[in-house]
Amino acid sequence: MKKDTHPEYHTINVKMTDGTVLEMKSTWGAEGDQISLDIDPSVHPAWTGGNQRLMDTGGRVSKFKNKYEGLGF
């Protein structure tokens, strides 16, 4: 690799929302720094599969059903 073109890759501590601390490699911060996460994979619904529900915001689903109700779908 060329000198002075790539960021330094070092070990940092990542504090999850439940208090556990993981050691990871990153270009963020300096060697040994700690970053605290507000949202992490252990609690976020995108990774845990929670909160799976259909939200009809603005009546879009009902508006669609009303528009095409006479077509026999």
Side-chain angles (χ1 to χ4, degrees):
M1 294 194 300
K2 288 183 179 179
K3 277 189 157 196
D4 301 326
T5 58
H6 299 284
E8 181 190 344
Y9 193 59
H10 49 269
T11 305
I12 64 165
N13 296 318
V14 178
K15 185 176 182 183
M16 307 296 254
T17 56
D18 64 355
T20 58
V21 178
L22 303 173
E23 192 175 282
M24 296 184 177
K25 297 284 244 172
S26 177
T27 58
W28 179 85
E31 180 77 29
D33 281 354
Q34 180 170 309
I35 186 170
S36 297
L37 300 180
D38 295 330
I39 299 173
D40 65 51
S42 66
V43 297
H44 195 277
W47 289 287
T48 61
N51 277 349
Q52 293 180 351
R53 63 179 182 236
L54 176 64
M55 291 183 62
D56 186 11
T57 55
R60 293 179 187 175
V61 174
S62 57
K63 189 184 289 187
F64 178 84
K65 286 181 180 179
N66 291 338
K67 184 176 182 179
Y68 297 107
E69 68 184 345
L71 297 176
F73 292 122

